[in-house]
Amino acid sequence: MTRRTLLMGAGAGVLGVLLASCTPEPAPSPTPDRSPTPKPTSDTITPAAFARSSWSTDPFALGAASFTPVGTQVSERDALAEPIDDRLFLSGEATDTEAPGTIAGALRSGDRAAGQLLRAAATGERVAVIGAGLAGAAATARLVADGLQVTVFEARDRVGGRIHSVVDDKAWPFPAQLGGWLLGASDGEIRDHLTELDVRDVSLTGTRWRSADGDVEPVSTEPVQAAIASAQQGVTDISLEDALTEAGADPTEPGLAALLASITAFSGADAAQESSWFPPALPADEYIAPLGDLTPVIEGLLDGAKLSLSSPVSRIAYDEKGVSLGIASGESLSFDRVLITVPLGVLKGEGLQFAPALPFGHRGAIAALGMGRIETVWLRFDEPLAFAAPQTEGEPEAAIWHAVGGDGLIRTWFNLAPVTGEDVVVGIVGGEAADAFAKLDDQKVLEAAIASLAPFLTAV
Ligand SMILES: Cc1cc2nc3c(=O)[nH]c(=O)nc-3n(C[C@H](O)[C@H](O)[C@H](O)COP(=O)(O)OP(=O)(O)OC[C@H]3O[C@@H](n4cnc5c(N)ncnc54)[C@H](O)[C@@H]3O)c2cc1C
């Protein structure tokens, strides 16, 4: 194991420039202090590049990923996916029952909804797809292949939706991913697309659980699994938090709290909101991290369709003859059928009106399902970050970090250095902590990120 040197007061340049455009605060100034037990702050540890997300406040997402709240049946997702009068078809991660809130779920939902639409449509019909995220793109590929005339309306000036690769060769050795990017065993199809595009991926494995006092024992997921299994025998659904308490665990115990923070960082919902009957995914031992631009995957799937960017749809009117779309610009356009892929957060909001109103089953599902919040921060350092204590001799450096205890906002980190040779760390945060993160300006996010990394940076 390499004993790494603590980067102190270096590399203010790029971030200073980045932050200068976001905040009137002066750029952090370098300090010559190389004390062995420094308290890391954004004044003393300065990344060379910084990127952060704001999905909770993004009007075309209004959250990060759907979840199944306690007391809600997963069948609400099937209700949401029901075609309406064979004119409106819905897809998007929230309509997938197997892997909601994921890339795999979005991809499968697009394929499923395209199949439903194709069963109702005649050759050559004019179809609109609302949203050029992965679900919309996957659906489009299938509709175009079947000979339909497809127009895709995308509110943003880019495709990809909640997949967002920031490509900036000066700042990042590989694109910073502000949305979905980590893949697992069920993501074979998307990995095939990435392989065709020569996008390299790396495997992130090995965990390090660390408190301000040094390394702590890895926290097992077994008690959480046991609590869920026990709660699933109950006559009514209870929250994951209550399931743990009933099983005799203390969700506020620092190790368990760090594990729950990691679960929340992927599901977007806190343990008090999560269903035990339909529980969130537990942290995996391995994540596959693509190291390239994910946008060409989406662009490839959209090939052959007419794409209208910066075109938020504000109104969908439908009857037995067809569908009329109101675009925010004031335009109104008619189609035979429409496939809607906007996020659950948008469906819950006021920005998209339906005439007539959606059937009760759909409105019930939209109200019952939850929109989780996940935010991410990427930091690149010019020099290696230091660990206070090296890991066990001979063990590969861990890629997955958990901060145990303390008051750091961001408790789950990916360390990309061992597998890429680049000093890049990625923090992810979910639930209420993501709400707090989303409210911070860039300078404050940076401060929170550096402070959250403290257990990994300070001397024992
Ligand atoms: C921070 C974060 C991290 C994540 N991490 C992972 C991960 O590691 N692994 C994983 O598998 N998944 C992850 N996810 C989830 C994954 O990104 C999503 O499930 C998936 O990208 C959703 O795709 P979608 O097509 O359903 O929705 P979106 O990608 O949201 O597509 C919907 C599209 O509709 C557009 N739209 C919205 N309103 C309108 C309108 N009125 N008119 C026209 N267009 C509109 C949006 O702009 C968007 O492009 C993460 C998500 C976030 C936010």
Side-chain angles (χ1 to χ4, degrees), residues 4 6 9 14 26 32 43 72 137 151 178 187 196 201 206 303 308 334 347 442 449:
R4 310 178 121 209
L6 184 61
V14 174
D43 284 338
T72 298
T151 305
L178 296 187
D187 289 301
E196 278 167 31
D201 58 36
D303 228 18
S308 186
S334 297
L347 291 173
D442 290 357

Side-chain angles (χ1 to χ4, degrees), residues 8 10 25 83 136 151 158 195 213 241 308 364 378 398-399:
M8 296 291 295
E25 295 290 316
T151 305
R158 62 170 183 84
T195 308
D213 299 325
E241 187 178 77
S308 186
W378 281 58

Side-chain angles (χ1 to χ4, degrees), residues 91-97 99-113 133-139 160 162-163 187 189-190 298 341:
S91 76
E93 55 81 10
T95 65
D96 188 68
T97 49
T102 68
I103 286 172
L107 196 61
R108 190 171 31 237
S109 77
D111 195 54
R112 186 259 315 142
L134 189 55
R162 281 171 278 166
I163 292 177
D187 289 301
E189 188 178 343
I190 196 103
I298 312 277
T341 79

